[in-house]
C-alpha cells in the first residue's frame, strides 16, 4: 500500500477547515503507521493545527491566489521604492500599503463567510497583520505563499533600510517543504572560506545591481511625475487661454450686435425722414401747380 508523502499530506490538511484538521491528520498518520512507515507517521503526527487567522491566510492562497500574489508583488516593489524617498513620501507609501492590506483583509472575511466559517474582527486583524508582514519581509512572504501557516505574524513598520524597525515575527510558523537529500562530499581545506567569500561577493554584487535598478526606477518615476506635472500645468494654461479667447469673442459678438442695433435704428430714422421729405415735396408740387393755374387764369 502506497503512503502519501508528508508534503502531500500537509498540503491537503492545511486546506481543510480548522475543526477537520485533527481528525484528518490522525487518520493519515494511522495509515502511514499501518503501512509500516513509522517515520512518515511521526512527521504527520507532528503537523500542528493552524489558528483561525493562519487557516484564513492559507485559504486566501488557495481561493484568492491572484489577489494575494499581486499584494506580495506590490510589497516587493514598495520595498524597492522606499530607497531615496523623503519621510513624507514614505508615509504616503505606508498609507497606500495599509489601504491595500485592508482591502484584501475584507476579501478574507468575505471568503471565510463563503466557506461557512465567519471570523471575528480580531482574527481579521491578525490576517491583515500577517499580510502586512508578508509585504514587508520576503521570508514571511514565502511562508504565506506556502499555504501552510500554522500561526499569524506581524511587522513593526515601514521605513527606509536605515531607519526601519526589524520584522517582529509573532509565532510565525509554516510547515517547511521537505528538502531533497544531498550527496555527501568530502570537505577540502579552504573550501569553506573560499565559498564564504564567493557568496559574500555574489551578494554584494546582487545588492549593488538591485540598488542601481531601484535608483533607476526611482529616477524614472520622478521624471514621469515631473512630466505629468508639466503637462497638467500646460493643459491648465491652454484651458485658461481658451477661456480668455472665448470671453473676448463673446464680448466682440455683443459689441457687434449693439452696433447692428444702432445702425438699424439709424436706418429706420433715415427711412422715416425720407418718407417725410417725399410727402413735403409732393405737397409743394401740388401747391406750385395750383399757383400756376391761378396765374394762367389771371
Amino acid at each position: 500500500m502506497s503512503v502519501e508523502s508528508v508534503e502531500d499530506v500537509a498540503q491537503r490538511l492545511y486546506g481543510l477547515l480548522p475543526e477537520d484538521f485533527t481528525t484528518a491528520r490522525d487518520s493519515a498518520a494511522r495509515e502511514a503507521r499501518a503501512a509500516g512507515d513509522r517515520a512518515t507517521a511521526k512527521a504527520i503526527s507532528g503537523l500542528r493545527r493552524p489558528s483561525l487567522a493562519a487557516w484564513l491566510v492559507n485559504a486566501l492562497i488557495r481561493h484568492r491566489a491572484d489577489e494575494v500574489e499581486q499584494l506580495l508583488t506590490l510589497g516587493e516593489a514598495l520595498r524597492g521604492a522606499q530607497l531615496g524617498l523623503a519621510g513624507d513620501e514614505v508615509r504616503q507609501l505606508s498609507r497606500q500599503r495599509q489601504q491595500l492590506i485592508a482591502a484584501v483583509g475584507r476579501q478574507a472575511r468575505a471568503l471565510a463567510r463563503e466557506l461557512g466559517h465567519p471570523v471575528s474582527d480580531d482574527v481579521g486583524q491578525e490576517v491583515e497583520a500577517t499580510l502586512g508582514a508578508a509585504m514587508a519581509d520576503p521570508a514571511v512572504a514565502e511562508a504565506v505563499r506556502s499555504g501552510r501557516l500554522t500561526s499569524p505574524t506581524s511587522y513593526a513598520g515601514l521605513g527606509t533600510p536605515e531607519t526601519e524597525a526589524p520584522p517582529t515575527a509573532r509565532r510565525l510558523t509554516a510547515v517547511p517543504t521537505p528538502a531533497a537529500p544531498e550527496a555527501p562530499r568530502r570537505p577540502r581545506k579552504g573550501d569553506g572560506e573560499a565559498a564564504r567569500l564567493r557568496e559574500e561577493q555574489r551578494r554584494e554584487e546582487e545588492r549593488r545591481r538591485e540598488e542601481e535598478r531601484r535608483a533607476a526606477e526611482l529616477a524614472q518615476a520622478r521624471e514621469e511625475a515631473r512630466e505629468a506635472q508639466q503637462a497638467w500645468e500646460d493643459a491648465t494654461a491652454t484651458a485658461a487661454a481658451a477661456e480668455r479667447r472665448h470671453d473676448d469673442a463673446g464680448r466682440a459678438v455683443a459689441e457687434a450686435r449693439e452696433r447692428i442695433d444702432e445702425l438699424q435704428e439709424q436706418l429706420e430714422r433715415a427711412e422715416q425722414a425720407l418718407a417725410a421729405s417725399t410727402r413735403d415735396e409732393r405737397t409743394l408740387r401740388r401747391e406750385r401747380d395750383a399757383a400756376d393755374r391761378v396765374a394762367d387764369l389771371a
Side-chain angles (χ1 to χ4, degrees), residues 77-94 96 158-163 214 217-219 221-222:
L78 290 178
R79 290 196 300 271
Q82 291 176 77
L83 291 177
L85 294 184
D88 292 341
E89 295 171 315
V90 172
R91 284 189 289 273
Q92 182 179 0
L93 276 179
S94 181
Q96 294 172 349
L158 180 66
T160 60
E162 291 79 9
T163 60
R214 291 174 178 176
E217 290 177 349
L218 180 60
R222 287 176 171 170

Side-chain angles (χ1 to χ4, degrees), residues 14-151:
Y14 287 101
L16 300 175
L17 293 175
E19 57 267 27
D20 297 333
F21 180 90
T22 302
T23 300
R25 180 197 61 192
D26 294 345
S27 176
R30 283 195 299 271
E31 290 177 3
R33 194 175 296 108
D37 193 341
R38 293 184 176 275
T40 298
K42 182 178 180 181
I44 292 174
S45 298
L47 296 176
R48 292 176 51 196
R49 171 178 168 171
S51 68
L52 279 178
W55 162 77
L56 189 48
V57 174
N58 295 337
L60 279 174
I61 289 294
R62 286 168 172 77
H63 298 278
R64 299 290 188 273
D66 290 342
E67 289 82 351
V68 177
E69 187 57 38
Q70 289 175 5
L71 191 75
L72 298 180
T73 302
L74 182 60
E76 295 174 1
L78 290 178
R79 290 196 300 271
Q82 291 176 77
L83 291 177
L85 294 184
D88 292 341
E89 295 171 315
V90 172
R91 284 189 289 273
Q92 182 179 0
L93 276 179
S94 181
R95 286 192 297 270
Q96 294 172 349
R97 168 179 169 272
Q98 194 56 43
Q99 291 172 355
L100 292 169
I101 293 171
V104 179
R106 288 191 292 271
Q107 292 187 18
R109 292 175 177 85
L111 175 61
R113 291 191 294 270
E114 291 176 14
L115 297 177
H117 205 300
V119 297
S120 65
D121 290 339
D122 290 342
V123 172
Q125 291 174 3
E126 289 185 337
V127 170
E128 292 182 12
T130 301
L131 294 175
M135 289 187 71
D137 189 334
V140 180
E142 288 307 309
V144 168
R145 284 190 176 100
S146 73
R148 297 194 294 271
L149 285 182
T150 60
S151 58

Side-chain angles (χ1 to χ4, degrees), residues 213-227:
R213 182 185 66 80
R214 291 174 178 176
E217 290 177 349
L218 180 60
Q220 180 180 358
R222 287 176 171 170
E223 178 62 20
E224 291 174 353
R226 187 194 65 76
E227 292 176 353

